[in-house]
Amino acid sequence: MKRKLFDFLNFFILFTVLTAVWWFLYLLKIWPSWVLPSPWSVFAKIFSGLADFSLVSGMFISLGRVIFGFSLSFIFGTLIGFLISKNIWLKTYFKPLILGLQTLPSICWLPLALLWFGLNEKAIIFVVIMGTVLSVTISVESAIANISSNYIKAGLILGANKINLYKYIIFPAILPSYINAARQGWSFAWRSLMSGEMLFITVGLGQLLMFGRELNDMSQVMAVMIVIIIVGAFFDQAIFAGIEKRIRLKWGLTNR
Amino acid sequence: MLQINGLFKEYKTGEGVVTAIQDLNLTVQKGEFVCLVGPSGCGKSTLLNIVADLDTPSKGETIKEKKCGLMFQDPTLFPWLKVKDNVAFGLKMTGMDKEEINKKVDYYLDLVRLKEFKNAYPHELSGGMKQRIALIRMLIMEPEILLMDEPFGSLDAQTREDLYAILQNIWLKNKKTVLFVTHNVREAVCLGDRVVVMTARPGKIKKEFIITLPRPRELSDMEVIKMSNIIKEELRNEIQQVIKETEHYEKKII
């Protein structure tokens, strides 16, 4: 409890100092205010956006998309990862292909998605999935490849059959890496979604960001950027980091 | 009983075919405690893996009772399971009744004096405690043959002595067939009915020593020390050969 309060205080001080520096730079008037707006006008934008629900609805629309796309990617990525790890043929020929595709920035899938699905929801979800599923696949595959062979041996010698080996040894053994894969997948999904949303009428946070640009309203641009960071970081910290920490504590991989 | 007949094990490497085990013959009688001693890299662990059906021989066969238990140098407890669930793992795989499993787990935890740790996670135990749990995780399956791969190799001297006593007590009670691999000669003399010395690459049996000293033995018993000195002399030549071979190999790489 004390620890948490301390962490929060530290965070608060850091936030205050950063804002102060920002304000100070603004007061120096080196740049015009449409390049560097004052922190207060940005915060005011956030509050007005929350008050008139434009930011709130944008946030919920984007969250709905990312949760849908992420869940699908997570399920498929896991399945493909397990398949590749099981099949030597897939491992030899399919894994290099996946590693290669992973180097393609997710936004590069958008033109293809627009031609396939048109200017709609499906195209965006497709971009999110393509940006996420490969990273999950690769993480799951490498997690399985890195299980200590002694765990498998111990499981076999204690009489685990194939199904039980997966259920009671392989899956629990990769759990810490698996949560990490999810966490990484989440941030990939969020990033892919934002880049996708900026490019056409999507009513998500990405489009609100682009509106700011079109209106030359730097305060709006920065306000939406801050909201995007907060939403992404909130899920990363509140959900994935929490689960990861609980597992690491249980396994004795960390003390705190 | 455990019988190993004409066993060969070869590996293909970049350098060609390496023979890890060459024509190994060994019979362990029912209820006999055999210690296999040899320099590192002589194929001891490979042999145990083959006997445990975790690896296949290139040639030859092993004849044995069905149920084998295996213990590694590393305790390999499952970190995601509580101590009691680690011990119960094998029995759960057999689909045994829960009540009965719990009873057995309690009995075996008592045997190694770790009952109060049943709800702990493995990382909360010391190295010696972990290895005690690994021991009963194997014993609870009531295997006919115990295969032990340098199980006490990474423990400190005092913990080790404690485990020798525990292992001897358990063994004297139920006389399982044991094949115990180690590179520590005194440990082998302290525990075994018979000490079998293996040669370095390719691994085969060089000599056997029958140990008839009264049990339970301790590492510091005069007789144990004397006997192990005799065997060490026998092994010295082997170790020299490994050193020579390694030097030769390293020169080749350079």
Side-chain angles (χ1 to χ4, degrees):
Chain A
M1 196 59 221
K2 223 175 179 180
R3 183 94 235 174
K4 268 191 179 152
L5 192 72
F6 184 72
D7 282 350
F8 179 76
L9 265 178
N10 268 343
F11 180 76
F12 185 75
I13 291 168
L14 179 74
F15 177 78
T16 314
V17 169
L18 280 177
T19 311
V21 171
W22 178 3
W23 194 31
F24 179 72
L25 285 172
Y26 170 78
L27 288 177
L28 287 177
K29 295 276 177 211
I30 309 172
W31 300 283
S33 69
W34 52 269
V35 173
L36 185 74
S38 89
W40 317 123
S41 73
V42 172
F43 296 150
K45 268 283 180 213
I46 294 179
F47 286 117
S48 71
L50 292 176
D52 71 9
F53 282 100
S54 64
L55 264 180
V56 179
S57 71
M59 209 156 83
F60 277 107
I61 287 168
S62 292
L63 269 179
R65 284 181 185 137
V66 79
I67 288 169
F68 182 67
F70 169 76
S71 310
L72 278 183
S73 312
F74 197 56
I75 293 165
F76 283 117
T78 306
L79 287 176
I80 303 170
F82 269 91
L83 274 179
I84 292 179
S85 79
K86 249 191 88 80
N87 188 312
I88 188 78
W89 188 85
L90 285 177
K91 204 174 204 154
T92 324
Y93 299 104
F94 206 58
K95 198 180 151 194
L97 178 72
I98 289 185
L99 286 170
L101 281 178
Q102 172 67 2
T103 62
L104 188 69
S106 54
I107 195 63
C108 297
W109 287 100
L110 191 68
L112 185 144
L114 292 179
L115 289 176
W116 274 4
F117 302 106
L119 280 167
N120 59 32
E121 197 72 23
K122 278 185 205 151
I124 294 221
I125 298 292
F126 179 78
V127 170
V128 172
I129 290 175
M130 289 321 290
T132 312
V133 73
L134 300 177
S135 116
V136 176
T137 303
I138 292 166
S139 306
V140 168
E141 196 272 331
S142 83
I144 295 172
N146 286 326
I147 297 177
S148 155
S149 66
N150 275 356
Y151 287 147
I152 310 276
K153 280 185 189 170
L156 286 172
I157 206 89
L158 290 170
N161 59 24
K162 261 204 170 139
I163 297 168
N164 284 341
L165 200 64
Y166 270 92
K167 198 165 145 197
Y168 296 114
I169 309 275
I170 295 179
F171 191 72
I174 66 165
L175 201 56
S177 324
Y178 193 51
I179 299 300
N180 209 330
R183 196 172 171 183
Q184 210 184 341
W186 170 265
S187 87
F188 272 118
W190 189 236
R191 275 186 254 172
S192 310
L193 178 69
M194 286 307 120
S195 38
E197 277 187 348
M198 285 203 294
L199 290 178
F200 59 98
I201 308 298
T202 53
V203 268
L205 283 176
Q207 204 200 356
L208 286 176
L209 184 59
M210 220 47 189
F211 265 168
R213 196 216 78 138
E214 276 154 19
L215 300 172
N216 266 338
D217 184 351
M218 187 51 113
S219 304
Q220 160 124 1
V221 169
M222 292 183 81
V224 178
M225 281 174 74
I226 288 172
V227 171
I228 291 173
I229 293 170
I230 289 174
V231 172
F234 173 79
F235 278 83
D236 180 73
Q237 286 299 314
I239 297 181
F240 298 112
I243 301 174
E244 201 177 345
K245 196 173 139 190
R246 266 197 19 219
I247 291 172
R248 291 180 73 85
L249 268 176
K250 188 170 128 183
W251 285 44
L253 296 170
T254 178
N255 292 322
R256 170 171 110 77
Chain B
M1 198 182 74
L2 167 66
Q3 221 177 333
I4 302 168
N5 294 330
L7 197 81
F8 282 76
K9 179 69 187 178
E10 287 163 350
Y11 288 106
K12 279 193 191 110
T13 66
E15 295 265 311
V17 178
V18 172
T19 309
I21 298 172
Q22 190 178 49
D23 194 21
L24 193 136
N25 295 288
L26 179 67
T27 304
V28 183
Q29 296 302 330
K30 196 172 172 63
E32 192 184 17
F33 198 129
V34 170
C35 289
L36 206 57
V37 188
S40 59
C42 74
K44 293 171 295 191
S45 299
T46 312
L47 178 66
L48 280 200
N49 278 335
I50 291 173
V51 175
D53 290 328
L54 294 171
D55 203 346
T56 50
S58 307
K59 217 160 84 182
E61 53 169 4
T62 57
I63 303 166
K64 57 175 188 285
E65 279 112 336
K66 254 200 176 143
K67 282 164 82 182
C68 282
L70 177 63
M71 213 175 144
F72 309 91
Q73 175 166 9
D74 179 53
T76 49
L77 299 180
F78 305 128
W80 54 88
L81 293 177
K82 286 180 180 170
V83 164
K84 61 174 182 190
D85 296 317
N86 263 289
V87 178
F89 189 89
L91 292 181
K92 273 186 189 153
M93 293 298 113
T94 65
M96 192 188 263
D97 174 58
K98 257 194 183 156
E99 286 281 300
E100 209 169 328
I101 293 181
N102 286 340
K103 245 192 256 161
K104 281 198 157 193
V105 168
D106 280 347
Y107 170 78
Y108 277 93
L109 280 170
D110 225 16
L111 206 61
V112 290
R113 308 187 307 268
L114 285 174
K115 214 170 182 175
E116 62 271 38
F117 288 94
K118 62 193 273 187
N119 285 314
Y121 279 98
H123 73 92
E124 295 167 277
L125 306 182
S126 71
M129 289 172 173
K130 279 185 203 161
Q131 210 50 292
R132 267 142 76 189
I133 297 297
L135 177 68
I136 60 168
R137 183 175 70 172
M138 168 177 77
L139 289 175
I140 202 169
M141 300 298 291
E142 291 170 1
E144 317 280 342
I145 303 171
L146 309 184
L147 305 169
M148 306 177 89
D149 190 358
E150 301 200 31
F152 310 140
S154 56
L155 301 176
D156 62 272
Q158 200 157 7
T159 314
R160 229 190 254 207
E161 296 248 9
D162 185 33
L163 273 155
Y164 293 153
I166 290 175
L167 180 60
Q168 285 190 80
N169 269 337
I170 291 171
W171 182 79
L172 283 173
K173 245 186 242 165
N174 56 27
K175 290 273 182 176
K176 302 268 186 201
T177 309
V178 182
L179 185 57
F180 187 104
V181 159
T182 176
H183 62 259
N184 184 333
V185 177
R186 234 161 98 191
E187 177 174 275
V189 174
C190 176
L191 294 173
D193 292 324
R194 185 148 58 104
V195 174
V196 176
V197 178
M198 269 178 92
T199 62
R201 254 169 284 144
K204 52 185 166 184
I205 286 166
K206 194 182 178 198
K207 209 161 180 181
E208 294 188 2
F209 300 84
I210 309 282
I211 315 289
T212 49
L213 306 172
R215 285 177 190 274
R217 304 170 196 150
E218 275 181 38
L219 216 51
S220 49
D221 289 349
M222 217 42 224
E223 296 298 317
V224 170
I225 295 173
K226 261 191 213 159
M227 191 70 205
S228 64
N229 282 341
I230 297 172
I231 299 176
K232 265 182 202 160
E233 199 54 50
E234 199 71 38
L235 263 176
R236 191 150 296 144
N237 304 325
E238 279 314 308
I239 293 166
Q240 230 91 50
Q241 199 191 324
V242 172
I243 292 170
K244 248 189 248 161
E245 249 178 50
T246 339
E247 277 173 357
H248 175 70
Y249 182 69
E250 275 164 6
K251 262 183 211 151
K252 239 170 49 186
I253 304 175
I254 295 163

